[in-house]
Amino acid sequence: MKQDAFQDQVVIVTGASAGIGRSLALQLASQGAKLVVAARRVERLKQVAAECRALGGEVLVVLTDVGDEAQCKILVEKTIAAFGRLDMLINNAGLAVSALFDEFPDLHLFKQTMDVNFYSAVYCTYYALPYLKQSRGRIVAISSVGGKAAIPYNTPYCASKYAMHGFYDALRMELM
């Protein structure tokens, strides 16, 4: 890939405060992307933003709980207000809960996992799609083997990742 492949591209990265999201933000910043980093942990986001700026990236920090539809809408609105367009949405935010399904005391953690791993991608995509269509942009959905093969002790995680694959497979066909 060309070193400047993302030069001046406006990119939202969810789950940008750690792990894969942080690494993606740093890589994109080093290639000249204009980044919008989103996550729940503002101090970590500010640290990632500082690292991205040190690499020459332009960065907007948006504190976002992606499991909340209204906050996903605001994330996209702030991106457009700051940069005027959107070229790529990276749905990376994720949550894993490890337990046997029948040992969950209630379904709160199951629902929370679905909200973060699946519905967040739906929400962000819904609000970003008109802008991505304008720019002929891209949607990236970060998943794992848990979205293709069942893993015991990970029922909510697998369900959320399977759902994500089904959603994007169907959306891809709709947009063709």
Side-chain angles (χ1 to χ4, degrees), residues 124-162:
C124 288
T125 299
Y126 180 79
Y127 293 107
L129 194 57
Y131 303 104
L132 291 168
K133 287 169 87 172
Q134 284 176 355
S135 67
R136 298 185 54 81
R138 295 170 275 198
I139 301 169
V140 177
I142 305 295
S143 186
S144 71
V145 70
K148 294 288 186 179
I151 304 168
Y153 297 92
N154 288 276
T155 309
Y157 181 81
C158 290
S160 67
K161 294 300 183 176
Y162 269 80

Side-chain angles (χ1 to χ4, degrees), residues 87-154:
D87 299 297
M88 184 165 37
L89 168 64
I90 301 178
N91 291 297
N92 170 69
L95 172 68
V97 178
S98 185
L100 291 171
F101 180 70
D102 65 357
E103 292 178 356
F104 281 92
D106 57 44
L107 293 175
H108 173 76
L109 286 174
F110 195 105
K111 182 181 180 317
Q112 184 181 12
T113 303
M114 290 298 292
D115 287 345
V116 172
N117 294 0
F118 173 63
Y119 281 108
S120 69
V122 173
Y123 300 149
C124 288
T125 299
Y126 180 79
Y127 293 107
L129 194 57
Y131 303 104
L132 291 168
K133 287 169 87 172
Q134 284 176 355
S135 67
R136 298 185 54 81
R138 295 170 275 198
I139 301 169
V140 177
I142 305 295
S143 186
S144 71
V145 70
K148 294 288 186 179
I151 304 168
Y153 297 92
N154 288 276

